[in-house]
Amino acid sequence: MEELVEPGLGPVRVFLMHDDNKPRKLKYNLGHRRLLTFGGAYSNHIRAVAEAGARHGIETVGVIRGEERLPLNPTLARAAACGMTLTYLDRATYRRKHTEEVQARLRARWGADIAILPEGGSNAAAVRGCAELPGEITVPYDVVCCPVGTGGTLAGIAAGLPEGKRALGFAVLKGAGFLEDEVARLQREAYGRTWSNWSVNLDYHFGGYAKATPVLDAFIAKYRVEGVYVAKMLYGVLDLARQGAFPAGTRIVAVVTGRPQPVGP
C-alpha cells in the first residue's frame, strides 16, 4: 500500500492498493472440469482464465469477439500457450452471448457439461471473492474506489465493507447507467440482498471502452498504469479530489486492479 502524493489534493489522502481482481473473481469459479468464457481480443479476463486453467488442470475455452486475426496478439498468444482453445463469434452473435439460444449452440459444440462464465467473470461467485478485498486493506480509510467494467468487483467490495465505509466505482464504458442495476443484481445473486454504500461515477469513460484522449494518454504515461480500466479510475479520483468532491480529511484507497498489457507471450 503506497500513498500517492499529488499537488492540489488538499486534506484528502489517496492510497494505492495493487490488487489484481481477476484471481479474486475466479477463486470460487474454478470448481469445474471444463470452463468456457468470453472476451475481446485484448481481454485480461481471457488471459487470467487460461492461466488459472493451466495451474489447476481445467480445460478452458475462450470465445473471442470478432474474427480471428493471425498472428495472435500477446494476450491471446499467452492464452493459447496456457492450453486455452480459442474460438470466435461474429459481433452480432457475440452481443447475444447471454441468451439461451447462443449458449445452447455453444453447449452443443463444446459439451453439455461445460461451465459457462460470463464476460469479465462477474457472477455471484466472483462477488464473493471480491468481497474479501476490504479485509486486506492495511491503512485506515473512508472510501474504496475501483474501475467498473461489468460490476462484479464493485458489487463485492461494497458487500465486504465495514459499517460506515463507502465504495465508489468509475465506469470505463460510455452510456453505462445500466451498471447500477447490474451491481445490485450481482449482490442479490450472491447474498440475497443489496447494499446502499456504493455508487457509480459515469463521467470518466474518455469516449468509451478502450478509448482514450491525449489527456488520458499523458496520464497513463506519467503514472505507468493500465489504460483501459485503472487510468480512468485514478484520473477520476484525483480530479474529484482536486474539485473538493470529497470531505476534508477523507482517506481514499484506489484499487489498482490491472496490469499493463503484456508485450510478449
Side-chain angles (χ1 to χ4, degrees):
M1 193 87 62
E2 62 179 297
E3 183 170 3
L4 186 60
V5 179
E6 284 289 311
L9 298 183
V12 173
R13 299 178 68 182
V14 177
F15 299 85
L16 302 182
M17 180 179 183
H18 294 269
D19 187 275
D20 187 352
N21 64 333
K22 299 306 181 185
R24 291 189 186 277
K25 295 171 84 171
L26 291 174
K27 180 177 179 178
Y28 299 113
N29 270 303
L30 296 178
H32 306 281
R33 185 176 65 86
R34 306 174 67 235
L35 187 61
L36 178 149
T37 194
F38 306 88
Y42 291 89
S43 168
N44 283 325
H45 170 66
I46 287 289
R47 179 178 175 130
V49 170
E51 292 174 344
R55 284 194 304 272
H56 297 281
I58 300 170
E59 179 184 345
T60 57
V61 176
V63 181
I64 310 304
R65 180 180 62 247
E67 303 75 29
E68 181 180 27
R69 295 182 182 274
L70 297 175
L72 296 175
N73 68 43
T75 298
L76 296 185
R78 173 60 178 166
C82 288
M84 175 176 272
T85 300
L86 300 177
T87 187
Y88 298 82
L89 280 181
D90 65 85
R91 292 175 184 273
T93 305
Y94 191 90
R95 284 193 291 271
R96 297 184 290 108
K97 62 187 176 298
H98 60 285
T99 63
E100 291 184 10
E101 173 196 358
V102 173
Q103 295 205 359
R105 286 165 50 188
L106 291 171
R107 291 188 187 280
R109 178 177 179 184
W110 299 106
D113 65 329
I114 199 163
I116 297 180
L117 188 61
E119 182 177 36
S122 288
N123 59 10
V127 172
R128 291 194 294 271
C130 291
E132 297 174 356
L133 183 149
E136 299 174 21
I137 296 175
T138 58
V139 297
Y141 67 95
D142 303 291
V143 181
V144 179
C145 295
C146 69
V148 183
T150 53
T153 301
L154 177 61
I157 288 174
L161 286 176
E163 190 71 26
K165 312 300 183 185
R166 293 195 57 80
L168 173 60
F170 289 81
V172 302
L173 312 170
K174 186 177 181 179
F178 68 91
L179 283 170
E180 293 192 357
D181 289 338
E182 185 65 7
V183 171
R185 180 188 69 80
L186 287 165
Q187 289 186 334
R188 282 193 297 270
E189 284 191 4
Y191 299 104
R193 56 161 291 192
T194 62
W195 280 257
S196 60
N197 60 352
W198 58 271
S199 58
V200 181
N201 184 291
L202 306 177
D203 298 333
Y204 294 94
H205 56 73
F206 288 88
Y209 183 76
K211 299 289 181 65
T213 65
V215 170
L216 187 64
D217 286 338
F219 187 86
I220 293 168
K222 177 180 178 180
Y223 292 95
R224 298 184 180 181
V225 291
E226 185 273 333
V228 176
Y229 293 92
V230 176
K232 294 179 179 182
M233 178 270 302
L234 189 56
Y235 187 100
V237 169
L238 298 181
D239 192 49
L240 289 176
R242 290 175 179 133
Q243 292 179 36
F246 299 104
T250 299
R251 297 170 65 98
I252 300 168
V253 171
V255 183
V256 178
T257 55
R259 54 190 174 186
Q261 285 287 345
V263 295

